[in-house]
Amino acid sequence: MCHVIVTCRSMLWTLMSIVVAFAELIAFMSADWLIGRAKPLVNDVKTSAEPYRPTLGIYGRCIKVANLRRVTLCGPYAENFGEIASGFWQATSIFLAAGLLLLCTVAFISIFTMCFQSIMKKSIFNVCGLLQGIAGLFLILGLMLYPAGWGSQKVQDYCGHDASPYKVGECSLGWAFYTAIGGTVLTFICAVLSAQAEIATSSDRVQEEIEEGKSLICLL
């Protein structure tokens, strides 16, 4: 018989797991990791006096084009994995993608933990917490390698020749980088919360309500 068990700690863990996965996914796909130095807006007729700042992501970029309307074009600058700006960014992509895959898997599983708390006699919360811890390590490795790629020619085109590994030059860090860092911190918090969710859903009070024959157990 399926018992639907909802507690404050288990619900908080589920919601945070979903939010973290979405935050890391959006950050990874964004082109706002680096905000480039100001550039003039050029069209076929003249150069605009109003500068703009292009943005550069791990594999994508956003530039502004002046025609009849000022349009911001965003898309991948790399047509394949080998064209990513540097080997460090390629490694960053691999580690972030691996961490993101684990986070999305946990987020999907977390939806069903209200009804299923164990699989093959193993606590789903503990297994998911372990996966989140591993995902956090992958994310840390990716974020540590990312600044090492700032010395690439692609970054220097955006940030000036002063850009070098771990020195951003004339660029500034965009919201996607900070979102990735925040998501990494929350990933480890989720890993800790998973243990609390396991304790909450297997407490004596929950067992008492199961013995009473209740199929919906809500402990807030």
Side-chain angles (χ1 to χ4, degrees), residues 63-79:
I63 58 174
K64 190 170 290 187
V65 177
N67 44 31
L68 296 178
R69 294 181 300 174
R70 293 179 180 178
V71 180
T72 300
L73 298 179
C74 295
Y77 67 80
E79 294 184 0

Side-chain angles (χ1 to χ4, degrees), residues 100-143:
L100 185 56
L101 178 62
L102 291 176
L103 290 179
C104 289
T105 300
V106 171
F108 178 76
I109 294 174
S110 69
I111 299 173
F112 301 97
T113 54
M114 291 183 292
C115 194
F116 303 99
Q117 288 78 44
S118 63
I119 181 171
M120 298 179 65
K121 298 182 179 180
K122 298 290 185 180
S123 167
I124 289 183
F125 295 106
N126 291 340
V127 172
C128 287
L130 176 62
L131 292 178
Q132 286 175 324
I134 295 172
L137 293 177
F138 281 139
L139 295 176
I140 286 177
L141 287 172
L143 291 173

